[in-house]
Structures are given as structure tokens and as C-alpha cells.
Amino acid sequence: MQTSPDTRTTRLAIASDVDLAWVRQQVRQTAADLGFGLVQQTKLVTAASELARNTLIHGGGGHIEMTPLQHGLRLTFTDSGPGIRDIEQAMTDGFTTGNGLGLGLSGARRLVQEFSIDSRPGQGTTITITAWATAMPHPRAEHG
């Protein structure tokens, strides 16, 4: 794990199943530290888990950069794999290049507030997601 002192960005390798577990743990802890609620943490960890697995399986490994923001967390997944030939098709529910349900990229996109993908065949893929911590709802005042 490398941390950049000026931006507080943490970089984690994604090269094995052990790294996938470490990424999930670090994303959850960072989100909790930033004030994300449990449901928000779960959504972000689910998206991060899917994207980290794609980085490993389809991209041959790579890394994630986690950048805490004021009231949010930005995660950037980068690999040097074969890239995605047709991003629009890859983002379609049900499309899969493996044996999955085809909900990975599109599902991850639905779980976060911001999602961008940059991929070119033969040049790898970079996916950046950002989630924002929302305030907890206040309990309703009882009217008596």
C-alpha cells in the first residue's frame, strides 16, 4: 500500500484474490472513516469488489487508487489488459464475456453517484467511481 502525502491518495495492488479481500476491507474502512452510513458503505464496497475483480480477471491485474474527498470517496481502477472493444455493449445489463450474470459494470454504475470509463483495445482500462456520503435522516419529531 502506498500513500501520497499531498493528496492522501492510497494505491493498492490488485494481483490476486488476497488483494481483492484487502481492497474490500480498505474501501469499507475508509468509507466508514469518512462518515458513510452502513448502506452506503455496502453499496460502495460492492461496486469496488466488482471493479477490482474485473481488474484482476479481465485486465490481468492492476491497481486501485483511493482518494478521500470532502464528504466523498473516489476510487480509480486501472489495468493494462486488452481493454474493452465496445464500452456501450459492456455497460448493457446482461452482457458478459464470462460466465457471470452480466451485471458487473452496469451494476457498479448504479451503486455510485459518479462513474466514468476509459478503455481502448490493447491499451487497458481505467474506471473511476465516486460516492458521496449523505447525511443521516433525522428522526421525526413526535407530535403529541
Side-chain angles (χ1 to χ4, degrees):
M1 175 170 49
Q2 299 173 339
T3 301
S4 172
D6 38 312
T7 63
R8 301 181 309 155
T9 296
T10 301
R11 182 176 171 149
L12 304 171
I14 301 173
S16 69
D17 284 340
V18 172
D19 293 336
L20 296 178
W22 181 242
V23 165
R24 286 190 295 269
Q25 180 182 2
Q26 293 302 303
V27 169
R28 181 170 301 277
Q29 184 60 56
T30 302
D33 292 347
L34 291 168
F36 282 72
L38 186 57
V39 171
Q40 293 174 304
Q41 290 174 40
T42 301
K43 287 180 177 182
L44 184 57
V45 169
T46 300
S49 181
E50 178 60 36
L51 297 174
R53 180 162 291 289
N54 284 355
T55 299
L56 178 62
I57 303 298
H58 300 292
H63 66 272
I64 176 179
E65 291 182 351
M66 297 190 312
T67 305
L69 306 169
Q70 187 171 355
H71 308 295
L73 182 60
R74 177 169 296 126
L75 306 176
T76 301
F77 299 83
T78 303
D79 68 58
S80 298
I84 301 171
R85 291 185 201 278
D86 186 340
I87 293 173
E88 187 175 332
Q89 182 182 37
M91 294 299 297
T92 303
D93 284 347
F95 176 77
T96 181
T97 57
N99 296 322
L101 297 174
L103 298 174
L105 289 177
S106 61
R109 178 177 57 188
R110 283 191 296 273
L111 292 170
V112 297
Q113 287 81 26
E114 297 175 22
F115 183 101
S116 69
I117 184 167
D118 180 25
S119 185
R120 292 179 185 86
Q123 297 182 16
T125 300
T126 298
I127 297 176
T128 302
I129 61 174
T130 305
W132 301 100
T134 57
M136 293 295 293
H138 296 292
R140 286 196 243 182
E142 291 190 33
H143 298 285

